[in-house]
Amino acid sequence: MFDTLDFGTLITVFLVLVVSITIHEAMHAFTSHWLGDSTAKDEGRITLNPIKHIDPYLTLLLPLITLIVFKVPLLAAKPVPFNPDRVKFDEFGAALVGVAGPLTNLGLAAFGAVFLKLFQGDLSLAVTDVVAIFVIINIGLFVFNMIPIPPLDGSRFLYAFAPDPLRRVMESLENVGIFIVFGLVLAVPAFTDIISNLNQQVLDFLL
């Protein structure tokens, strides 16, 4: 994602990740509350305070290490708790909670892309670079989180339509799925190519 890294770029990536993930997780919490489940609200997760949403190791340390080593920031936020039995529309409600975060990132990326288009000739190179990083990271968060492997958000959407045998397989992956995804990203070039191509297609569409 990032071929050249310097201290300024690392700081920018770090800040953009924190902001984008905070909004992502807050939208999960807001959507679950809107659909009738107060679990996230009771734990104070409907907030733009990043401290409530970040995990010091998986959200802060891990992406910096993987960005430096692999040029791709891999991370996981503190999961937003919700009770799928309490939301409206059953599995479809749970699917809405799941996709709320990634769709928010897509909306943020679209906003950044429109901003670049509208003010392209008036922005300094530094501002252009920051907004471009903002767009790229939010596209990456959208595409990555929509991978339909538990516990990623895309799996909640798949749950709504999957037959029972597939659901049981997905449930068995809830606790280890994130490690499977990280392993695929870091060790399977074909998987990484698919993710990169999807990122690029979304970027091309927005720009």
Side-chain angles (χ1 to χ4, degrees):
M1 183 180 291
F2 302 97
D3 296 326
T4 58
L5 291 172
D6 53 35
F7 183 73
T9 302
L10 284 174
I11 293 298
T12 301
V13 170
F14 171 79
L15 292 176
V16 169
L17 280 172
V18 169
V19 170
S20 302
I21 290 169
T22 296
I23 299 173
H24 172 116
E25 298 299 330
M27 282 305 297
H28 279 313
F30 171 80
T31 305
S32 67
H33 179 62
W34 177 61
L35 289 172
D37 176 30
S38 64
T39 305
K41 180 179 183 296
D42 294 340
E43 295 196 14
R45 299 296 297 274
I46 305 180
T47 177
L48 294 179
N49 178 1
I51 295 176
K52 291 287 187 177
H53 301 295
I54 61 177
D55 179 281
Y57 300 106
L58 295 179
T59 313
L60 303 180
L61 185 60
L62 178 64
L64 288 178
I65 293 174
T66 56
L67 183 62
I68 293 170
V69 176
F70 302 105
K71 302 296 187 287
V72 177
L74 298 179
L75 69 154
K78 188 186 300 180
V80 170
F82 88 103
N83 186 342
D85 295 326
R86 295 175 63 184
V87 297
K88 299 176 184 176
F89 315 124
D90 301 321
E91 285 291 347
F92 296 102
L96 288 174
V97 175
V99 300
L103 290 181
T104 296
N105 292 123
L106 181 61
L108 292 172
F111 175 82
V114 170
F115 182 85
L116 285 177
K117 281 192 173 186
L118 291 178
F119 302 102
Q120 189 171 14
D122 303 319
L123 301 175
S124 67
L125 181 59
V127 173
T128 299
D129 286 345
V130 170
V131 179
I133 289 174
F134 180 83
V135 172
I136 291 170
I137 284 181
N138 275 283
I139 290 173
L141 289 171
F142 165 69
V143 171
F144 181 75
N145 280 286
M146 285 304 293
I147 296 173
I149 299 176
L152 296 181
D153 298 327
S155 67
R156 298 307 321 179
F157 186 78
L158 184 57
Y159 268 120
F161 304 97
D164 288 340
L166 179 56
R167 286 189 186 189
R168 286 193 290 271
V169 172
M170 294 172 64
E171 289 169 357
S172 69
L173 295 177
E174 285 287 348
N175 294 325
V176 298
I178 192 65
F179 301 105
I180 294 174
V181 174
F182 285 170
L184 289 172
V185 170
L186 298 177
V188 182
F191 184 82
T192 305
D193 289 343
I194 292 173
I195 299 300
S196 297
N197 289 336
L198 289 172
N199 284 335
Q200 189 62 50
Q201 289 177 22
V202 177
L203 180 62
D204 291 343
F205 175 77
L206 293 180
L207 296 178

